[in-house]
Amino acid sequence: MSHGSLSLPARLCLLAWDSTEVTGAGRLPPLVRAGALVELAQHGLLTDEDGIATPADLDSDTGDPVLDGLLELVRESRPHHWHSWVSLRARITLDAVREQLAAGGCLRAEKRRILGVFPTVEYALVRGPVVQALRTQARAALLGSVPVAEISERDAALAALADAAGLLPPDSRPAPGRAEQLTERAGETAAVLRTVVREVRTAKAAAVAS
């Protein structure tokens, strides 16, 4: 599985892999969920109606089980604003992404028992070069070596969310206004991306404060 075939939530999951600051603080589920929401919006399957994430119809899907699972959850639930969906039952999306990455060979699933009784699954990274390629790509987008107009909407969203979550090293901090430019690159879904980026930043600040 090359990184080019990975969904936005899968890319974010891998980018955060060696960041204990993110994964250890419970900030990963909202980040991965944010990526899934943005990608569904980019596909036109979730639309914005007065700030509420609204399914475009009841039949269309992406063919990606993680994205389609979230889409089905939104369809079956009462209406919620985008910012609510970033954290609402977000662990479901994270678990599905990890299973998908394990099936694709990026992660290795290891079954264990907590206290010798309670079954759990831990994951180990298998394809480190994929993570490095994603990090290089996001860093290039943030530092401005690539014109914003030449960056795809999904890659721009990846960089904006990675920056909001603090996934990249300090020397990858974008120039003033660059993250905002990447967010606006999302075009019709820029409002959605702005909302979920704000929620990811809020989750990061809350984790740091605690």
Side-chain angles (χ1 to χ4, degrees):
M1 178 182 289
S2 67
H3 77 275
S5 65
L6 295 172
S7 68
L8 181 54
R11 294 181 186 199
L12 288 165
C13 182
L14 288 174
L15 261 181
W17 196 259
D18 61 355
S19 177
T20 55
E21 180 179 322
V22 174
T23 57
R27 287 153 51 189
L28 187 55
L31 173 63
V32 171
R33 169 61 67 76
L37 290 169
V38 169
E39 186 148 359
L40 284 171
Q42 290 177 342
H43 279 292
L45 297 176
L46 284 182
T47 61
D48 181 75
E49 293 188 7
D50 297 324
I52 294 175
T54 306
D57 58 60
L58 298 178
D59 300 313
S60 301
D61 58 35
T62 65
D64 181 300
V66 173
L67 297 175
D68 293 340
L70 174 56
L71 183 59
E72 189 64 22
L73 179 61
V74 175
R75 285 171 174 161
E76 294 177 349
S77 303
R78 67 181 181 83
H80 290 286
H81 289 84
W82 294 96
H83 64 81
S84 296
W85 276 119
V86 171
S87 57
L88 183 64
R89 301 172 66 184
R91 184 77 191 195
I92 293 174
T93 301
L94 174 60
D95 289 344
V97 165
R98 284 173 167 170
E99 290 175 6
Q100 185 182 56
L101 287 170
C106 286
L107 301 180
R108 181 177 64 252
E110 301 174 344
K111 294 182 179 180
R112 300 182 183 278
R113 288 187 177 273
I114 299 175
L115 301 177
V117 178
F118 305 104
T120 187
V121 178
E122 295 182 359
Y123 293 91
L125 181 64
V126 174
R127 297 186 178 175
V130 172
V131 176
Q132 186 56 47
L134 288 169
R135 185 170 291 112
T136 298
Q137 177 183 330
R139 190 171 184 274
L142 284 168
L143 294 182
S145 58
V146 181
V148 171
E150 296 180 10
I151 301 173
S152 71
E153 291 183 9
R154 188 166 66 166
D155 289 346
L158 175 74
L161 286 165
D163 176 63
L167 298 187
L168 302 175
D171 64 355
S172 299
R173 289 175 181 168
R178 180 71 176 185
E180 289 74 16
Q181 292 172 8
L182 290 168
T183 301
E184 294 307 314
R185 180 72 179 95
E188 293 182 359
T189 60
V192 173
L193 182 55
R194 280 196 297 271
T195 298
V196 299
V197 161
R198 186 163 55 247
E199 287 303 304
V200 168
R201 285 182 176 145
T202 298
K204 175 186 175 185
V208 170
S210 62

